[in-house]
Amino acid sequence: ATPAANNASVAMAKVGRASASASGGVNGLVRAFFGIAAARKAIGTISDLESGLVTLGTVTGKTGKQLDELKETAVEVARSTRFTPEETIGALLSLSRAGQSASQAAESLVSVTQLAQAGVTSLGQAADLTAATIAQFSLKEEAAAKAASVLVATADRTKSTVLSLGASLAQAGQAAATFGVSLSETAAVAGVLQDSGVQASRAGRAIKTILAQLASAGDRSEKSRESLKKLGIEIGDVIPSKTQKFTDVLRNLRDGLVGIGGEERTNILRNLVGKDFFAVLSAAIQGIEKIDRVSAIAADSVGELADKANRQNETLAASIRGVSSAFQEVLIEADGSKSVLKDVFDTLADTIRV
């Protein structure tokens, strides 16, 4: 425990003894019980805040004024979003552990809180998901804002959630990026596949496998080469690139399948991508229009993310959380100083005696 927390523990014990003896009777003991519980909570909060800041300094390599600046960023974001400073410090820590520099983590923090609010998830989950998405697609300018807005916009327009999209991207993200498929299109494919009943992680594995199998269809086997001939398309028509979107590939396949049905259609798709995911490829082909629509909206949805987060910030639940946030702000701004703790506990003791 930290020195401030130890000193506060001693003060808490004195508060309990004094309030119990001075008040007397059952009512006094009840007041003492709840007062001590509140004091214990305060001590735990102080200890957690100090521990979080020390760990953040260790991970980022920041000390002194630089660490104070990170702390001030965490407090300011907490004040404007109703998250507690403990939570925003934790988010900075998650982003830093994921490889972001201290300045990058600070820049990402607002977008991470917006993702948590709009996506209705914890701040820790939002930080981990944002950092992973940025890394998968090597996002640069406004990386956190782009990652968060795409996830929320896609989830809002499909049966997915930001967390289920994260599970899909964990499987498919790096492979999709290698083929030049954008974040917004990859997320849209995953969301539309989830619409059709494909479980999140399976959707991600399917996207990764389909991309790889199509890219090797020209030289993988005689059956795959023959299937391309039956569709009247070349190998270049089934490989996404910077000039050919994933949905363009799906359209090429759909156009080639016109007039082909039943077992022959099934066999062609199976020969191209394998027995495990040919049905998923068929579902993606059927969802081309929605994939394009969702992808286009998600790619330009940063403003939408902020608006949705602000609406969540105006709810009763957010206001209730704001009380905890305000309390932690007092403690962290004071750095757990003895004088502030003394005032807190003196006030607590007076309250119990009433």
Side-chain angles (χ1 to χ4, degrees):
T2 62
N6 287 332
N7 291 338
S9 295
V10 173
M12 180 273 296
K14 291 180 179 179
V15 167
R17 289 195 298 270
S19 59
S21 61
S23 299
V26 175
N27 289 338
L29 289 174
V30 170
R31 291 193 188 99
F33 173 80
F34 285 108
I36 292 170
R40 286 185 183 276
K41 177 65 175 177
I43 293 165
T45 298
I46 295 166
S47 180
D48 290 342
L49 286 168
E50 290 182 340
S51 177
L53 283 170
V54 169
T55 305
L56 181 62
T58 300
V59 172
T60 60
K62 303 300 182 182
T63 59
K65 183 179 179 180
Q66 291 177 319
L67 184 57
D68 285 341
E69 289 175 351
L70 282 176
K71 179 187 73 174
E72 290 168 5
T73 297
V75 171
E76 181 58 34
V77 172
R79 182 179 296 118
S80 63
T81 61
R82 307 295 178 87
F83 286 106
T84 65
E86 184 180 351
E87 289 173 312
T88 52
I89 289 171
L92 286 174
L93 185 57
S94 294
L95 292 167
S96 298
R97 282 174 168 162
Q100 290 198 357
S101 66
S103 60
Q104 288 172 330
E107 290 173 2
S108 297
L109 187 56
V110 171
S111 295
V112 169
T113 60
Q114 290 174 338
L115 174 59
Q117 290 175 301
V120 194
T121 187
S122 74
L123 193 55
Q125 289 172 319
D128 291 340
L129 182 52
T130 300
T133 305
I134 290 172
Q136 289 157 1
F137 290 88
S138 301
L139 303 179
K140 302 299 182 183
E141 294 183 8
E142 299 184 341
K146 183 173 184 179
S149 61
V150 166
L151 291 169
V152 171
T154 304
D156 282 349
R157 290 164 176 83
T158 62
K159 294 180 181 178
S160 64
T161 66
V162 294
L163 293 181
S164 70
L165 288 172
S168 294
L169 294 178
Q171 296 288 334
Q174 288 188 331
T178 299
F179 282 98
V181 183
S182 68
L183 166 60
S184 60
E185 189 173 30
T186 307
V189 174
V192 170
L193 289 178
Q194 290 180 47
D195 282 352
S196 67
V198 182
Q199 189 263 347
S201 60
R202 177 173 168 77
R205 291 195 302 273
I207 293 169
K208 176 174 64 176
T209 302
I210 287 170
L211 287 169
Q213 292 288 78
L214 289 177
S216 64
D219 53 19
R220 188 174 67 251
S221 69
E222 182 61 34
K223 287 185 177 180
S224 62
R225 289 192 294 272
E226 184 63 29
S227 293
L228 288 176
K229 289 181 181 179
K230 287 183 178 180
L231 296 177
I233 57 179
E234 305 290 336
I235 183 61
D237 297 325
V238 293
I239 302 178
S241 65
K242 291 183 178 180
T243 58
Q244 180 169 255
K245 298 190 301 180
F246 194 7
T247 48
D248 293 331
V249 169
L250 296 177
R251 281 192 176 84
N252 292 337
L253 291 171
R254 183 185 65 183
D255 294 344
L257 287 166
V258 172
I260 301 176
E263 186 176 354
E264 185 179 10
R265 176 189 176 95
T266 297
N267 287 336
I268 288 174
L269 294 179
R270 183 185 287 115
N271 291 338
L272 288 176
V273 300
K275 62 183 178 63
D276 291 334
F277 295 116
F278 75 90
V280 180
L281 174 57
S282 181
I285 291 172
Q286 293 175 21
I288 291 173
E289 278 69 28
K290 185 170 183 180
I291 292 170
D292 264 341
R293 184 170 65 254
V294 172
S295 176
I297 294 172
D300 188 28
S301 59
V302 173
E304 179 181 306
L305 170 67
D307 290 341
K308 185 173 182 181
N310 287 337
R311 289 196 299 272
Q312 289 290 335
N313 202 34
E314 293 171 358
T315 63
L316 175 60
S319 295
I320 293 172
R321 287 175 59 85
V323 176
S324 295
S325 181
F327 177 65
Q328 286 194 15
E329 284 177 40
V330 173
L331 296 177
I332 197 171
E333 293 287 3
D335 285 329
S337 67
K338 293 180 182 179
S339 61
V340 171
L341 287 174
K342 183 178 183 302
D343 289 343
V344 169
F345 290 127
D346 284 346
T347 302
L348 176 61
D350 291 340
T351 300
I352 294 171
R353 293 189 184 100
V354 174

